[in-house]
Amino acid sequence: MSEDGAFSVEPWCVRERGLDLDLLASSESLFALSNGHIGLRGNLDEGEPSGIPGTYLNSFYEARPLPYAEPGYGYPESGQTVVNVTNGKLIRLLVDDTPLDVRYGRLLGHERVLDLRAGTLTRHVDWKSPAGSRIRVRSTRLVSFTQRAVAAIEYEVEVVDKTVRLIVQSELVANEPDPQRSGDPRVAAALENPLVAVEQDVHDRGMTLLHRTRSSGLQMAAGMDHLVEAVGEVSAASTATEDWARTTFVCNLEQGQRLRIVKLLAYGWSNLRSTSALRDQVAAALTGARHTGLDELLAEQRAYLDEFWDGADVRVEGDPEIQQAVRFALFHVLQTGARAEGRCLPAKGLTGPGYDGHTFWDSEAYLLPVLTYTQPQAAADALRWRHSTLDLAKERAAALGLRGAAFPWRTIRGEECSGYWPAGTAAFHINADIAAAVTRYRSVTGDETLEIEVGLELLVETARLWTSLGHCDVEGAWHVSGVTGPDEYTAIVNDNVFTNLAAAHNLRSAAEAAERHPSLAGDLGVSVEEMATWRDAASAVTVPYDADLRVHQQSAGFTRLPEFDFEAYGGKYPLLLHAPYFDLYRRQVIKQADLMLAQYWFGHLFDEADKARNLDYYERRTVRDSSLSAAIQAVTAAEVGHLDLAYDYAYEAAQIDLRDIDHNSRDGLHIASLAGVWTALVAGFGGLRQHDGLLSFAPQLPDGITRLRFTIRWRGLWLGVDIEPDRATYTLRNGRDFSLSFRHNEKHVTVTTGEPVTERISKRPPMLPRPPQPPGREPIHRGNARAQRLQPMGQAMEEEHSAGLSTSTFR
Ligand code: BGC
């Protein structure tokens, strides 16, 4: 974690002053731009130095064998790894005969700004070459939300003190060398030269490189085009080889003169279209972008984001760090899902190669709840993608001897890619998470069409899976045995509460949806008897409870397992890198919120006293070795009145990448944790819940946050929620004469357009004292964190110049 915060705290941007090369790899993830289709890591324009070079196209992957020391039946044989595709970000600059490289000469100023409203990454460089020529570079990069195949870079060089010759080489480079990777299983498998050249197309102003993967049979095209402006003459020449293409611009500039180049980029890939069709698609995208022009691309980008923020912004008063973090988080969640359109939402978005670029349950359980309330069409697209993989999921279920569909634990294209079945295939709850995302989408948006299009079939096939995974005992209780719940330190268990309740919800939802669409359900072969089986299983579901301790058991027998000896591991976390799974699995140690997730999602099935005791019990055993944990712990802590603890967890989720808390942001951002920031604030302090289509709020602010405002989309309406310490005001923002009913705590409230309703808040004191965590796993105490010295704000670059900073790595 960067102790003093490498970025200044500002409400609408993330600004890095100076350049710390030790933080380069993680800042490349933070400064990544994406629209869900194209992802550009925030690598420096000149390409070097770099932490991890990265350019990604959603779902463009290479297949590779998954080797096993001891293979077994049903083990997936092929893995999928996201490819670092042709890099179009490269713009190399030579000042006379010296390349701009921040490691040489004198770096007089360096600043990068991720602007969350403009949707751009800007960079300012003030550099003196070893030969003594001073130049300033200003670049602005965007990945367009409105033109899905397009990215653009504006690159402007100003000559500061003497006449120089500038040479700008704008490039496309395929098969960039991959840096050394660590032994951490969470980083990606190394792929050497994954792209095979297919064709190079050199045209008037730019060029296109076409490549294919060796094994997965995918083909891609990357094209570039340029617009150039300078006072005098600029000569240009282009060359291309199999793996690189370059356009070189040369000009002589005098003191104060500028060279401005706009580089337009377009990307496309396909497993079906011909080489010529792909080439033409990229050429068309470039022509479209050129026709639009950079100013208009920037204006479109801002307009797209204005609309997003209008309906999604969360405003936090009293805590500027959380304010910045929640907007940063929402921006990256949007970037992950905005234009994925029929592709998956990877756990790292398109910000880095971590986890091989795979999507997990993170998508349906963490991202889609946020997108459903803020950008519902992106949630619908993600569910369409899941549905597009249904045949593969049915094949997988059949291979496992199960009915219905078994969706993969981790994948890019739909095939199971997890080689470790206890924390992969056995985590069947992903199927119920998908079902929950389907029902949530319908309840929140009121849109029935998605259910007809894809939802019903997803619900039916996942329900069928549960009937073959579960069984009834002699007493008629329904169990699910031998599966793994969300907590990956407790595997292959019986009756995991989260899995059981989610499965029951899946079964019930399938029956209800089938009832709503009898003819469609009939086409899927659903009979009245099958629906009755689903309902019977759901109503007989087993929820293990320890009557002596008066707490729920995360899974049957959990509370009777031996305790974990935390001292023996001397505070070395994450435990997965230091302790054998043998020891983790047989003891009471929890990687991430599991029973707490059940308590949040299915809160109406738990009574208040159980909730408080459960939290107290599981807090002491949860090590948060997954970044998915803190946000859920924030929500459940807030619900039982531990507002300070909730605040600490919300802060941890919020800072996971901005402060690189887990020391692995270099591999890509923790998108689920970022989605969790919204969840911690809106469901934690806002108390938002939605059970069976009933909307409710139970707001309470922790000391330190003085006001919290957010908007959610509910059935076509925009509901604004404004929380102050003693009151909450609800406002309906749409048109005229609409009304919406919901609960504020236990009270039934109706709000009408133009007539906000204000309700009183009284804090609910916690039933039990604040619980401790395992040694060394206390969350950062928000009070202490706030006392830490933060980067001063508002310092202009000029001040840095006058301070005479001259090393290439300074902050
Ligand atoms: C967590 C999983 C998660 C995965 C990807 C793991 O560490 O335990 O729950 O799906 O990371 O984010």
Side-chain angles (χ1 to χ4, degrees):
M1 169 184 163
S2 45
E3 290 301 331
D4 53 355
F7 308 99
S8 62
V9 179
E10 297 179 48
W12 282 106
C13 69
V14 177
R15 184 186 305 271
E16 176 202 50
R17 290 203 177 86
L19 183 64
D20 185 341
L21 295 183
D22 292 337
L23 300 182
L24 191 57
S26 57
S27 69
E28 288 165 354
S29 302
L30 295 169
F31 290 146
L33 292 178
S34 174
N35 57 12
H37 172 54
I38 302 171
L40 306 182
R41 274 175 71 78
N43 303 114
L44 302 181
D45 301 297
E46 55 278 12
E48 292 174 28
S50 77
I52 300 178
T55 303
Y56 310 104
L57 293 177
N58 192 343
S59 299
F60 190 84
Y61 71 95
E62 178 57 316
R64 58 184 175 85
L66 277 179
Y68 297 99
E70 292 180 38
Y73 174 80
Y75 284 19
E77 283 162 15
S78 177
Q80 299 168 355
T81 296
V82 67
V83 173
N84 175 26
V85 300
T86 309
N87 182 1
K89 303 184 294 277
L90 284 170
I91 301 182
R92 302 193 209 270
L93 171 69
L94 279 93
V95 180
D96 290 325
D97 47 10
T98 317
L100 164 62
D101 184 320
V102 293
R103 293 167 296 190
Y104 298 92
R106 290 182 66 202
L107 187 59
L108 302 171
H110 196 275
E111 182 177 88
R112 289 188 288 173
V113 181
L114 179 68
D115 186 323
L116 308 172
R117 276 183 296 197
T120 54
L121 175 67
T122 53
R123 179 184 182 214
H124 290 250
V125 186
D126 190 343
W127 184 71
K128 197 166 222 174
S129 75
S133 304
R134 184 172 174 188
I135 49 118
R136 289 201 185 106
V137 174
R138 185 180 60 82
S139 73
T140 302
R141 194 185 279 178
L142 74 83
V143 174
S144 175
F145 285 118
T146 53
Q147 304 195 17
R148 185 173 179 257
V150 170
I153 304 166
E154 182 187 27
Y155 191 85
E156 191 177 69
V157 191
E158 181 195 346
V159 173
V160 178
D161 45 13
K162 50 184 173 183
T163 302
V164 291
R165 187 182 64 248
L166 292 183
I167 302 176
V168 175
Q169 297 171 309
S170 174
E171 302 192 4
L172 295 172
V173 174
N175 291 318
E176 287 178 298
D178 227 6
Q180 293 255 311
R181 298 279 168 81
S182 80
D184 187 327
R186 295 166 295 181
V187 308
L191 292 177
E192 295 229 343
N193 297 329
L195 298 170
V196 179
V198 175
E199 192 179 296
Q200 302 82 45
D201 180 33
V202 180
H203 43 94
D204 287 357
R205 300 179 198 89
M207 45 193 67
T208 300
L209 294 183
L210 290 108
H211 284 85
R212 63 171 171 77
T213 51
R214 286 173 209 281
S215 308
S216 58
L218 309 181
Q219 200 165 188
M220 64 154 295
M224 64 176 178
D225 191 356
H226 301 92
L227 307 158
V228 185
E229 266 175 39
V231 192
E233 193 195 327
V234 182
S235 59
S238 295
T239 33
T241 67
E242 291 200 331
D243 277 356
W244 56 262
R246 179 195 300 140
T247 300
T248 307
F249 303 94
V250 188
C251 65
N252 292 316
L253 292 190
E254 291 169 15
Q255 183 181 10
Q257 291 183 334
R258 290 161 198 247
L259 168 68
R260 176 175 175 266
I261 295 173
V262 174
K263 180 177 191 177
L264 299 172
L265 288 166
Y267 284 96
W269 74 264
S270 174
N271 62 341
L272 296 175
R273 284 196 303 279
S274 65
T275 307
S276 55
L278 257 180
R279 187 191 54 219
D280 292 355
Q281 181 193 347
V282 161
L286 284 174
T287 309
R290 195 177 174 90
H291 176 77
T292 309
L294 181 71
D295 289 348
E296 191 52 32
L297 275 175
L298 287 164
E300 285 178 4
Q301 187 86 339
R302 191 174 276 273
Y304 183 96
L305 283 165
D306 281 349
E307 197 183 327
F308 171 69
W309 290 120
D310 192 27
D313 188 22
V314 176
R315 286 193 278 171
V316 183
E317 286 179 24
D319 191 330
E321 273 189 90
I322 298 251
Q323 173 64 86
Q324 177 188 46
V326 68
R327 287 183 175 143
F328 170 78
L330 277 167
F331 180 74
H332 276 292
V333 169
L334 176 71
Q335 290 208 117
T336 305
R339 302 296 309 270
E341 293 171 13
R343 308 278 178 221
C344 66
L345 308 190
K348 305 275 177 198
L350 298 177
T351 67
Y355 282 125
D356 282 315
H358 291 165
T359 186
F360 294 72
W361 72 308
D362 307 32
S363 175
E364 280 83 0
Y366 285 76
L367 270 77
L368 295 205
V370 181
L371 289 171
T372 302
Y373 282 105
T374 56
Q375 189 78 353
Q377 114 283 336
D381 281 342
L383 290 169
R384 287 191 187 100
W385 170 75
R386 269 299 176 197
H387 182 264
S388 74
T389 66
L390 184 62
D391 286 345
L392 292 169
K394 285 180 170 176
E395 278 171 30
R396 179 76 179 146
L400 298 172
L402 299 166
R403 287 193 296 278
F407 284 95
W409 177 244
R410 54 187 293 176
T411 189
I412 292 180
R413 225 204 108 220
E415 294 88 351
E416 178 61 86
C417 294
S418 171
Y420 182 62
W421 67 272
T425 296
F428 283 103
H429 67 85
I430 187 167
N431 298 286
D433 307 331
I434 294 168
V438 168
T439 55
R440 184 187 307 111
Y441 176 84
R442 176 178 172 275
S443 297
V444 173
T445 63
D447 172 11
E448 295 279 339
T449 58
L450 192 78
E451 183 166 283
I452 295 168
E453 194 189 332
V454 300
L456 176 69
E457 200 174 3
L458 285 170
L459 291 172
V460 165
E461 297 301 348
T462 46
R464 286 177 173 155
L465 178 83
W466 291 114
T467 50
S468 57
L469 272 172
H471 72 282
C472 268
D473 67 16
V474 283
E475 280 152 13
W478 191 73
H479 303 271
V480 180
S481 309
V483 303
T484 300
D487 166 27
E488 294 186 349
Y489 287 171
T490 318
I492 319 297
V493 293
N494 299 335
D495 290 326
N496 168 258
V497 172
F498 176 81
T499 304
N500 281 17
L501 291 179
H505 182 257
N506 188 160
L507 290 162
R508 223 174 265 121
S509 305
E512 286 162 9
E515 216 157 55
R516 281 193 291 275
H517 309 288
S519 140
L520 270 183
D523 295 346
L524 297 172
V526 179
S527 62
V528 174
E529 292 73 32
E530 189 173 21
M531 285 157 65
T533 326
W534 294 343
R535 286 200 164 101
D536 291 347
S539 52
V541 69
T542 303
V543 178
Y545 188 76
D546 186 323
D548 295 335
L549 296 172
R550 294 197 297 157
V551 294
H552 285 86
Q553 295 189 310
Q554 180 177 288
S555 51
F558 183 84
T559 52
R560 302 299 153 130
L561 293 175
E563 296 288 356
F564 189 77
D565 184 357
F566 291 104
E567 305 299 341
Y569 288 96
K572 285 197 233 138
Y573 297 101
L575 290 174
L576 64 98
L577 299 184
H578 303 283
Y581 273 110
F582 162 75
D583 213 22
L584 298 172
Y585 285 175
R586 64 194 200 93
R587 295 181 185 276
Q588 293 192 51
V589 54
I590 298 162
K591 182 181 182 190
Q592 63 201 94
D594 183 319
L595 187 76
M596 287 303 108
L597 190 63
Q599 196 157 294
Y600 165 35
W601 279 23
F602 307 106
H604 55 309
L605 304 175
F606 292 77
D607 80 31
E608 297 309 307
D610 278 343
K611 281 183 185 173
R613 280 191 300 265
N614 286 343
L615 183 119
D616 188 77
Y617 189 87
Y618 288 96
E619 270 294 300
R620 296 161 193 266
R621 293 162 177 84
T622 304
V623 290
R624 296 195 320 290
D625 279 354
S626 163
S627 64
L628 275 63
S629 202
I632 305 307
Q633 288 176 263
V635 173
T636 46
E639 185 173 9
V640 301
H642 290 308
L643 293 173
D644 288 347
L645 181 59
Y647 193 15
D648 294 347
Y649 283 136
Y651 182 73
E652 183 173 299
Q655 296 297 330
I656 189 88
D657 290 310
L658 284 169
R659 284 175 175 259
D660 197 5
I661 287 180
D662 284 351
H663 307 283
N664 60 4
S665 296
R666 65 193 311 273
D667 299 317
L669 301 180
H670 301 81
I671 302 294
S673 178
L674 295 178
V677 187
W678 180 94
T679 308
L681 295 176
V682 173
F685 302 132
L688 168 80
R689 297 290 187 278
Q690 179 276 124
H691 292 303
D692 299 331
L694 295 174
L695 181 63
S696 60
F697 299 91
Q700 298 189 83
L701 295 181
D703 288 343
I705 295 183
T706 50
R707 193 172 180 187
L708 174 69
R709 282 177 280 178
F710 57 85
T711 300
I712 59 159
R713 299 187 182 199
W714 182 263
R715 303 191 181 162
L717 304 173
W718 291 25
L719 178 66
V721 181
D722 181 349
I723 306 167
E724 291 170 86
D726 59 346
R727 75 189 94 119
T729 303
Y730 301 92
T731 310
L732 213 49
R733 286 177 46 196
N734 304 59
R736 288 177 161 274
D737 303 333
F738 287 107
S739 69
L740 172 60
S741 297
F742 53 87
R743 275 197 354 237
H744 166 91
N745 296 329
E746 297 313 313
K747 187 174 170 192
H748 186 87
V749 175
T750 300
V751 61
T752 312
T753 311
E755 287 176 42
V757 173
T758 299
E759 296 292 337
R760 294 208 63 71
I761 293 177
S762 47
K763 276 194 186 169
R764 300 177 291 280
M767 197 181 98
L768 297 170
R770 177 177 167 137
Q773 289 71 39
R777 278 323 222 183
E778 303 77 16
I780 305 166
H781 186 43
R782 187 64 196 113
N784 297 342
R786 296 194 75 176
Q788 279 183 12
R789 195 182 60 80
L790 293 167
Q791 285 271 105
M793 286 177 57
Q795 237 175 350
M797 277 186 71
E798 281 69 27
E799 284 179 45
E800 287 183 345
H801 301 159
S802 60
L805 295 169
S806 60
T807 56
S808 62
T809 56
F810 64 85
R811 199 184 293 156

